Amino acid sequence: MPEPEDPPQQPAEQAGTQPDELMTRTLDPRSLRAIAHPLRIQLLRALRRYGPATASQLAERLGESSGATSYHLRQLAAHGFIVDDPTRGKGRERWWKAAHRGTSFDETLHKNPDPEVQGALDVLMHEITTIHSQELSTWVATRHTWGEEWYGASDFSDFTLALPPERLRELNQRIHALINEYGETADPAAPGAERVRMHLHAFPQHEN
């Protein structure tokens, strides 16, 4: 998901698996409106998670028509989220790859008065919430297929703290820095290494 940026940026959906794509795309109002579509979010996520693919391959993976995936891939390309992969495919069908490892957005988007921007932000955040929920549910449903060593290594913790906004921001930044430290020193070839997903949710909550 996350690769923290300079404050006050917040992580959006990120599933970087391509070591040659190291940049993070920071969303502005225009690019936010472009990405805020459930299928486009799923397409970009699939390219980041599984690597380069064609519209037909993505259609099969996501249960969509190739016409729909082709159209939305072109829209993603028009806004710089994906690019052609020149190392693959010599025929008529285009291969696509993610242009960035992840996306992020900063708090100025929350303050944008444009209703279209707020609507796009709602779509993006709800879609990411759904993805996180699905990933967690998949782990719960398939945990018996993993070795016992993963049971204690996984985490379902939640915490309630009393913090002002600036302290919560500081806490998030420190957690992101620690996660980045582990990510930068990770060795995919290490014995027992598997792809691990971490979700960080931190938000205020009323007493009642």
Side-chain angles (χ1 to χ4, degrees), residues 89-156:
K90 302 300 181 182
R92 296 176 56 188
E93 198 160 29
R94 300 173 74 176
W95 283 74
W96 299 99
K97 66 177 181 177
H100 313 92
R101 185 180 64 180
T103 51
S104 64
F105 59 89
D106 65 44
E107 62 189 33
T108 60
L109 291 178
H110 292 286
K111 303 173 184 177
N112 192 300
D114 187 341
E116 289 190 8
V117 172
Q118 293 307 310
L121 190 56
D122 284 345
V123 170
L124 178 63
M125 295 183 71
H126 281 291
E127 189 66 21
I128 292 171
T129 300
T130 298
I131 291 170
H132 287 185
S133 178
Q134 291 172 342
E135 289 182 341
L136 188 56
S137 295
T138 298
W139 156 248
V140 171
T142 62
R143 68 189 187 282
H144 61 281
T145 65
W146 294 86
E148 293 182 0
E149 65 273 15
W150 287 100
Y151 296 165
S154 62
D155 186 32
F156 278 70

Side-chain angles (χ1 to χ4, degrees), residues 129-199:
T129 300
T130 298
I131 291 170
H132 287 185
S133 178
Q134 291 172 342
E135 289 182 341
L136 188 56
S137 295
T138 298
W139 156 248
V140 171
T142 62
R143 68 189 187 282
H144 61 281
T145 65
W146 294 86
E148 293 182 0
E149 65 273 15
W150 287 100
Y151 296 165
S154 62
D155 186 32
F156 278 70
S157 299
D158 61 84
F159 306 89
T160 301
L161 308 173
L163 298 172
E166 62 272 15
R167 289 281 285 164
L168 179 57
R169 188 192 305 275
E170 176 188 328
L171 176 60
N172 288 333
Q173 291 169 356
R174 293 177 66 181
I175 293 172
H176 290 183
L178 181 60
I179 294 172
N180 267 1
E181 178 184 331
Y182 275 79
E184 291 166 359
T185 59
D187 179 8
E194 298 285 355
R195 184 175 185 272
V196 172
R197 289 282 285 157
M198 295 191 69
H199 301 160

